[in-house]
Amino acid sequence: LGAVMQYRPIELAALEIPVTALYGANDIVEGADMEKWRRLTTAAFCCHRFDGGHFYLFQRAPVLSDIILSGLVMLNA
């Protein structure tokens, strides 16, 4: 937890591609923190919250793969 609490991001130029943020509702990160990813893109941004903690993705693999594939389709459009 110490490394997470001490991390300070560097400022980077925004990307010109869509960004999708995924997180578990019971993990240590909160929705407001995930929304900060929005500033990293000038394109579309979406944020998905899932039930569960840090390892929510193991129970949600089909849904996650659909979200990832949709994002890849947007890149090729």
Side-chain angles (χ1 to χ4, degrees):
L1 185 62
V4 171
M5 301 308 287
Q6 294 177 11
Y7 173 73
R8 299 294 177 258
I10 59 173
E11 291 297 321
L12 300 172
L15 302 171
E16 295 178 8
I17 59 171
V19 170
T20 300
L22 311 167
Y23 72 104
N26 299 324
D27 203 346
I28 59 172
V29 73
E30 296 181 10
D33 294 323
M34 294 304 292
E35 282 292 323
K36 293 176 183 176
W37 286 93
R38 182 181 302 275
R39 68 178 176 219
L40 295 181
T41 184
T42 58
F45 173 82
C46 60
C47 187
H48 298 273
R49 177 181 167 231
F50 295 93
D51 290 335
H54 191 70
F55 297 103
Y56 71 89
L57 58 127
F58 293 118
Q59 294 84 29
R60 308 292 267 162
V63 174
L64 292 172
S65 63
D66 288 345
I67 291 169
I68 292 166
L69 287 172
S70 295
L72 292 172
V73 168
M74 285 186 355
L75 285 175
N76 291 317

